[in-house]
Amino acid sequence: MDVPLFLLFAAIAVACGVNLVVQTHPVSSALSLIGVMGALAVLYLLLGAEFLAAAQLVVYAGAIMVLFIFVIMLLNAGGEKKSRNRPRLAAALGIPLLMLFLGIISFLIQRRVPSSMTVTFGGFTGGGPGDLGRTLFTGYLLPFEAASVLVLIAILGAVVLGRKEID
Amino acid sequence: MNAVPLSWYLILSAILFSLGVAGFLFRRNIITVFMSIELMLNAVNLAFIAFAYQLQQVDGHIFALFVMVVAAAEAAVGLAIILTVFKNRTTLHIDEVSSLRN
């Protein structure tokens, strides 16, 4: 049952990712990004990361994407105009080279990662909130505090940038 | 047929990251460029969690959690910058915001 689930949600993630890149309207891109995040949350569950799957949905698909949609709505962003002078060589070679790059990367990963390394649902049970919290508040306490300072600075920065009289 | 190879997860992560890079380079709307960055961060998270499964350690999850924190902070500041840029230039097109280029 693992393989069909993985293939289904990986296909959803890749399709939504492609849609994000090709859509010209930002709202379509934002909805595609929410699709990617939902599919990735399911894959996190398959990998045994229960807490992160929930956090992915709440923080990413909930909070961050609402912020994006809010800004799109606030700025009344429409479809984007064509770029003025895009080199024709880059436009012709871009997608084939991207495909080639992905092929090489996939080949290298297949070669380097032994096929004995497999993922089965339930093979890792240490991803619950309790285990995560214990590791976070013992071994990673200093990075945790640094992250709190980072978030504080981000709040201050957003408030300063959002003031009315800035120019 | 019950086990997914670990390499499939890593390849999916590479594909999503490359899509993020492509969107970052191709798109001209500043908001879409920003969303491409979020896509790249998500792809990295998937690789972190896949390796955490393989090593049977929760440390990878902690790293993914910190990536989420940084992404949230970055989104808040970045969107505030986008708002300010729009207020001053009334455009979201990246080619028209080029005063630092020359």
Side-chain angles (χ1 to χ4, degrees), chain A residues 2 21 37 43-44 47 56 60 68 75 80-81 83 86 102 117-120 123 126 132 135 140 161, chain B residues 2 4 6 12 18-19 26-29 34 38 42 45 53 56 58-59 61 71 81 84 86 95-96:
Chain A
D2 278 19
V21 176
M37 286 163 176
L43 294 180
Y44 291 176
L47 285 165
Q56 169 91 357
Y60 258 125
F68 270 98
L75 300 185
E80 72 184 61
K81 289 176 289 182
S83 196
R86 180 170 293 180
L102 278 178
M117 289 184 176
T118 55
V119 175
T120 46
L132 213 71
T135 315
Y140 290 90
L161 283 170
Chain B
N2 201 20
V4 185
L6 180 72
L12 175 65
S18 310
L19 281 173
F26 289 156
R27 290 265 69 99
R28 283 290 160 259
N29 190 313
F34 215 65
E38 299 291 333
N42 265 291
N45 271 355
Y53 177 95
Q56 296 285 315
V58 81
D59 299 54
H61 294 188
I81 291 174
T84 315
F86 187 78
D95 290 345
E96 293 168 21

Side-chain angles (χ1 to χ4, degrees), chain B residues 46-75:
Chain B
L46 182 64
F48 267 132
I49 293 174
F51 279 121
Y53 177 95
Q54 181 55 40
L55 300 173
Q56 296 285 315
Q57 284 178 343
V58 81
D59 299 54
H61 294 188
I62 306 272
F63 275 93
L65 194 68
F66 280 123
V67 170
M68 277 187 195
V69 172
V70 171
E74 173 229 351

Side-chain angles (χ1 to χ4, degrees), chain A residues 61-85:
Chain A
I64 295 183
M65 289 320 291
V66 165
L67 205 60
F68 270 98
I69 301 272
F70 206 71
V71 168
I72 292 170
M73 184 196 73
L74 202 63
L75 300 185
N76 198 15
E80 72 184 61
K81 289 176 289 182
K82 277 281 192 182
S83 196
R84 276 183 307 236
N85 42 5

Side-chain angles (χ1 to χ4, degrees), chain A residues 126-150:
Chain A
D131 307 282
L132 213 71
R134 205 166 296 121
T135 315
L136 186 61
F137 293 128
T138 54
Y140 290 90
L141 189 60
L142 186 65
F144 178 75
E145 296 294 340
S148 72
V149 174
L150 175 77

